[in-house]
């Protein structure tokens, strides 16, 4: 088996001589931690990633088996090996059968026995660790899927139901103004639906495949957003500016960058305050010292402090102000993570928000 | 405005399109109804709290489930804490597009929920309720 890092082994024995001879024998092959009592052992277990623990059976305050029973649930991943003489064999058999111990090593131990037990234990550790990791990621995927199904039922169906209601009402109305109003509602509903479908596709893309790294020209990117949001800015009476400052090459994945910018800018427009003058959305894109720094600032409704840590959760919505899908910032954060970047938010209710994204060049 | 108000209704739904659509259907079906709409359940709750037991008429509430800030079930938890003489004045229906089994059984087991209505709201359903 290929070893990238040394296996970390904790050996616990009340006899100092045993401890030192163990360390002397194995210190080149493994990282060895020593403990003379359970207190010291627990200290090591909590501070280091101990893969294998060996314990002497006969110790003054507690037996090795008893100690293993104690740590079995607090440190389930650590593989437990017991060192014992033949006289204790009954209790050893029982604890092996109860699953407290992976293996036992005869006392006095010989180097070869210990080594082979450690190698076996490490294989077992790797297999269970791998399984554990897979289980965690499966559980995460499963949780997302059930959230997903729940939300799809609501966010995809909701707008369709609205459209159906609106059409039903239209057939009862003759007044052209009222009919026009209803048609506007239908359009708005369909736009919500379209936004949600776009976000779903972003989510899918983010979880697909490798990064595609290209040289990014921030000025071209800025022009793209100027074109898209120029009209929105006029219609919604929100001043929009996007500035750049690029003095060096920046390499990154353009589709992920766009997911980040689309969502942050879209939100800045969406969560404006209704009754104030001089509404604005200000974007700055800069590259310095191998980092791109994106800031998106607005003087919109802001985010209350209690919600600031939750806004990146899937399907979380912090306000009734606009009809968000609760998907946008989740995708944004996911895209930033995939680009090894960081994200911070400063916000005050009814003052505005400032999102700052830092992404290293690839 | 119709001076001959027979029914009082509160709509709690964060989707302003649905709020408007429901108001319109109600107007068409049962015109002698007064409607108050809330996009935020916390504001609706405060409204009910402030009115207290002073109101001299019964009010029907149509409550959405999935809403940010305070969702339908959180609203019901807070509603539960109101004095009985206030709660006597209201009948609550869930009005949601949710077909989620968990939501449905949760709603059915809630003592304050008269029934669960699935969007879109139909004229027949309305006539049955406001008859």
């Amino acid at each position: 088996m290929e070893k990238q890092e040394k296996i970390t082994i904790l050996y616990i024995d009340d006899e100092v001589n045993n401890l030192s001879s163990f360390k002397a024998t194995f210190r080149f092959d493994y990282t060895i931690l020593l403990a003379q009592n359970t207190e010291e052992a627990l200290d090591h277990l909590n501070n280091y990633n101990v893969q294998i623990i060996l314990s002497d059976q006969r110790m003054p305050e507690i037996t090795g088996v008893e100690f293993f029973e104690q740590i079995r649930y607090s440190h389930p991943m650590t593989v437990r090996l017991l060192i014992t003489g033949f006289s204790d064999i009954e209790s050893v058999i029982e604890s092996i059968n109860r699953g407290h111990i992976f293996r036992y090593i005869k006392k006095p131990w010989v180097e070869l026995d210990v080594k082979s037990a450690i190698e076996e234990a490490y294989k077992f550790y790797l297999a269970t660790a791998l399984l554990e990791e897979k289980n965690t990621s499966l559980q995460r995927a499963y949780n997302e899927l059930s959230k997903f199904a729940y939300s799809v039922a609501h966010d995809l169906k909701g707008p369709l139901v609205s459209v159906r209601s609106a059409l039903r009402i239209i057939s009862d109305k003759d007044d052209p103004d009222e009919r026009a109003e209803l048609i506007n509602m239908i359009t708005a509903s369909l736009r919500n639906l379209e936004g949600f479908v776009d976000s779903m596709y972003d989510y899918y893309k983010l979880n697909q495949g490798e990064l595609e790294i290209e040289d990014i020209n921030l000025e071209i990117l800025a022009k793209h957003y100027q074109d898209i949001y120029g009209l929105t800015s006029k219609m919604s009476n929100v001043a929009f500016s996007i500035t750049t400052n690029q003095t060096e090459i920046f390499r990154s994945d353009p589709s992920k960058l766009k997911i980040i910018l689309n969502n942050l800018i879209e939100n800045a427009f969406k969560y404006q305050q209704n009754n104030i003058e001089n509404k604005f959305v200000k974007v700055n894109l800069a590259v310095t010292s191998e980092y791109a720094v994106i800031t998106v600032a607005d003087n919109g409704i802001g985010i209350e402090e209690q919600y600031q840590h939750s806004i990146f959760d899937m399907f979380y919505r912090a306000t009734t102000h606009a009809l968000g899908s609760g998907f946008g910032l989740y995708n944004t954060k996911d895209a930033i993570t995939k680009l090894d970047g960081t994200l911070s938010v400063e916000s005050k209710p009814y003052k505005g928000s400032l999102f700052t994204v830092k992404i290293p060049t690839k | 405005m119709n001076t001959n108000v027979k029914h009082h209704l509160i709509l709690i739904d964060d989707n302003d399109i649905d709020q408007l659509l429901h108001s319109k259907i109600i107007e068409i079906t049962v015109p002698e109804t007064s409607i108050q709409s809330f996009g935020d359940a916390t504001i609706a709750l405060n409204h009910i709290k402030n009115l207290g037991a002073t109101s001299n008429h019964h009010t029907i509430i149509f409550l959405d489930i999935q809403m940010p800030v305070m969702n339908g079930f959180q609203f019901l938890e807070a509603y539960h804490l109101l004095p009985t003489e206030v709660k006597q004045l209201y009948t609550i229906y869930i009005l949601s597009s949710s077909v989620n089994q968990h939501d449905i059984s949760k709603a059915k087991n809630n003592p304050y929920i008269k029934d669960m209505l699935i969007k879109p709201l139909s004229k027949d359903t309305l006539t049955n309720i406001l008859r």
Side-chain angles (χ1 to χ4, degrees), chain B residues 117-130:
Chain B
L117 315 175
I118 305 290
K119 292 179 188 177
L121 187 58
S122 75
K123 286 185 189 173
D124 290 350
T125 315
L126 261 176
T127 332
N128 278 334
I129 291 171
L130 298 178

Side-chain angles (χ1 to χ4, degrees), chain A residues 99-351:
Chain A
H100 299 316
I101 305 173
F102 177 69
R103 246 190 201 197
Y104 81 95
I105 298 165
K106 268 190 311 213
K107 210 174 180 181
W109 50 264
V110 287
E111 194 182 335
L112 207 67
D113 279 357
V114 175
K115 260 198 168 163
S116 102
I118 286 175
E119 294 300 322
E120 284 302 314
Y122 190 61
K123 273 185 206 161
F124 181 77
Y125 172 83
L126 284 182
T128 37
L130 205 68
L131 201 66
E132 182 72 21
E133 202 179 291
K134 288 268 178 225
N135 270 339
T136 313
S137 75
L138 268 177
Q139 189 59 46
R140 179 170 174 258
Y142 179 78
N143 289 346
E144 281 187 358
L145 191 69
S146 38
K147 270 191 188 176
F148 211 81
Y150 184 78
S151 179
V152 163
H154 183 267
D155 295 296
L156 287 184
K157 201 183 157 201
L160 289 175
V161 168
S162 306
V163 169
R164 199 143 62 92
S165 313
L167 290 171
R168 216 182 253 176
I169 301 168
I170 283 185
S171 56
D172 281 330
K173 298 276 181 185
D174 300 319
D175 179 25
D177 286 347
E178 253 187 297
R179 292 178 76 118
E181 190 194 0
L182 286 160
I183 287 170
N184 281 340
M185 287 183 195
I186 292 177
T187 314
S189 286
L190 291 176
R191 200 171 287 142
N192 284 337
L193 185 60
E194 210 178 307
F196 190 75
V197 172
D198 284 345
S199 303
M200 262 179 31
Y201 187 64
D202 281 348
Y203 172 79
Y204 167 79
K205 268 194 307 190
L206 279 166
N207 288 292
Q208 276 293 304
E210 303 286 298
L211 295 178
E212 285 169 26
I213 304 298
E214 289 173 18
D215 281 4
I216 308 281
N217 183 328
L218 293 184
E219 262 179 52
I220 295 176
L221 200 62
K223 176 81 173 47
H224 168 80
Y225 284 101
Q226 195 69 61
D227 291 347
I228 293 182
Y229 285 99
L231 187 66
T232 314
S233 160
K234 274 200 197 104
M235 304 252 300
S236 56
N237 197 24
V238 177
F240 178 59
S241 74
I242 180 160
T243 48
T244 60
N245 180 14
Q246 182 170 22
T247 49
E248 54 184 84
I249 286 176
F250 176 60
R251 291 177 59 75
S252 195
D253 183 324
S255 70
K256 301 215 171 16
L257 274 182
K258 278 188 183 160
I259 288 174
I260 297 165
L261 281 164
N262 288 349
N263 282 303
L264 292 179
I265 299 175
E266 186 69 35
N267 280 353
F269 275 102
K270 199 191 259 179
Y271 299 106
Q272 286 289 332
Q273 303 185 57
N274 290 328
N275 309 313
I276 61 159
E277 300 284 307
N278 308 319
K279 295 184 236 185
F280 69 78
V281 173
K282 288 180 186 161
V283 182
N284 185 54
L285 312 172
V287 182
T288 41
S289 330
E290 307 199 320
Y291 269 89
V293 179
I294 300 169
T295 56
V296 179
D298 64 59
N299 54 350
I301 59 168
I303 307 153
E304 282 180 54
E305 205 178 335
Q306 63 193 105
Y307 301 132
Q308 285 180 15
H309 66 280
S310 305
I311 52 174
F312 303 105
D313 293 349
M314 193 185 235
F315 300 128
Y316 187 84
R317 291 171 58 206
T319 173
T320 55
H321 181 84
L323 208 59
S325 68
F327 219 150
L329 283 180
Y330 175 85
N331 282 339
T332 306
K333 182 152 192 217
D334 203 15
I336 293 168
T337 308
K338 293 218 154 69
L339 297 176
D340 299 320
T342 57
L343 168 67
S344 65
V345 55
E346 286 167 51
S347 187
K348 276 223 167 74
Y350 303 105
K351 294 276 183 232

